[in-house]
Amino acid sequence: MVNCVVKNWQGEQIGEATLEMKIAKEENAEHIVHRALVRQLHNQRQGTASTKTRAEVRGGGRKPWRQKGTGRARAGSIRSPLWRGGGVIFGPKPKDYNIKMNRKERRLALRTAFISRAEALVVVENFNQQIEAPKTKTILEAFTRWEVDQNCKILLVVTEPTSDNVYLSVRNLPNVKMINHDGLNIYDILNADTIVVTSDALVKLQEVYNAE
């Protein structure tokens, strides 16, 4: 159980939020989080790199010149890997990089990673109504009031019904990434320096990820 301070739009403390999530045992935590991270990065790979072997390159059916008497090296095809425009030796072929991991293990890893970043967590009251128009300056001023370093990597976790004004206000900030609570993932949790979560999103996260 971890307690976090909840701040309002003005940056004032208005209460506390309790994080109650089942996490992995200390001796297994690092291993399972690492497995989940490797799985996510591998599953993002398309694996579409492909080259043609000498059998797949077009042409090369006729012997370029006779075997003897020309003074040149023997050649059987212009599509030999030794020739310009020939096939590729041991080149890449389409491959599936996906790694499987049980659903319960994935959820356990995500909960463990999220709780491990409790010190970098900033919980704020839902601020949809506070941003009346898309304006980056407005959200930057809010980060200052919440004591969030604007120069660090910030992960903003919100609930699904978020106004477009919030998205339009943060989309051109290169170090801020906004995701819905149902899109939370291992890489973003570990990659961010500060995680800003709305109180509504925190409730949803605990409802979703505590359910087995």
Side-chain angles (χ1 to χ4, degrees):
M1 183 183 298
V2 179
N3 293 326
C4 298
V5 173
V6 180
K7 299 180 180 181
N8 60 12
W9 178 250
Q10 288 73 30
E12 303 167 344
Q13 179 178 345
I14 58 172
E16 287 190 348
T18 303
L19 292 177
E20 295 184 7
M21 292 185 176
K22 298 177 182 179
I23 61 175
K25 296 180 180 179
E26 186 176 354
E27 58 269 22
N28 299 326
E30 183 177 351
H31 172 67
I32 193 169
V33 170
H34 178 262
R35 281 184 56 211
L37 178 61
V38 170
R39 172 191 171 273
Q40 180 178 339
L41 295 177
H42 273 251
N43 291 3
Q44 288 176 347
R45 299 185 66 177
Q46 291 182 335
T48 54
S50 181
T51 55
K52 291 185 178 181
T53 65
R54 64 180 298 164
E56 297 167 328
V57 177
R58 184 178 179 182
R62 179 175 63 87
K63 188 173 175 65
W65 51 76
R66 59 195 176 95
Q67 183 81 347
K68 294 179 176 294
T70 62
R72 290 178 289 186
R74 294 174 294 184
S77 172
I78 62 172
R79 294 304 177 230
S80 165
L82 306 179
W83 284 52
R84 180 174 177 271
V88 177
I89 306 173
F90 302 132
K93 285 292 185 182
K95 178 181 178 181
D96 182 10
Y97 289 94
N98 285 355
I99 297 177
K100 292 183 179 180
M101 190 174 183
N102 293 338
R103 178 171 174 269
K104 286 189 176 182
E105 286 184 308
R106 296 199 307 267
R107 288 191 166 218
L108 179 61
L110 191 140
R111 292 195 301 263
T112 303
F114 189 72
I115 293 295
S116 71
R117 301 304 312 280
E119 295 181 359
L121 193 64
V122 178
V123 183
V124 297
E125 192 178 25
N126 200 23
F127 51 87
N128 279 348
Q129 304 302 324
Q130 303 296 335
I131 303 181
E132 299 177 353
K135 198 169 184 180
T136 303
K137 183 179 179 181
T138 303
I139 199 71
L140 289 176
E141 291 174 348
F143 285 152
T144 302
R145 294 193 296 270
W146 297 334
E147 299 179 352
V148 175
D149 186 1
Q150 301 174 10
N151 297 319
C152 68
K153 289 181 286 187
I154 302 171
L155 178 64
L156 180 60
V157 184
V158 296
T159 50
E160 186 69 32
T162 304
S163 67
D164 291 337
N165 291 337
V166 178
Y167 168 72
L168 294 174
S169 298
V170 302
R171 69 174 179 175
N172 62 338
L173 295 174
N175 58 325
V176 178
K177 181 175 182 180
M178 188 179 85
I179 61 174
N180 292 326
H181 69 279
D182 54 359
L184 194 64
N185 59 85
I186 288 284
Y187 178 81
D188 286 338
I189 291 173
L190 299 179
N191 185 53
D193 296 317
T194 303
I195 304 174
V196 179
V197 186
T198 63
S199 54
D200 293 346
L202 190 62
V203 172
K204 293 285 186 181
L205 285 174
Q206 296 196 87
E207 288 177 359
V208 173
Y209 291 103
N210 275 338
E212 293 296 342

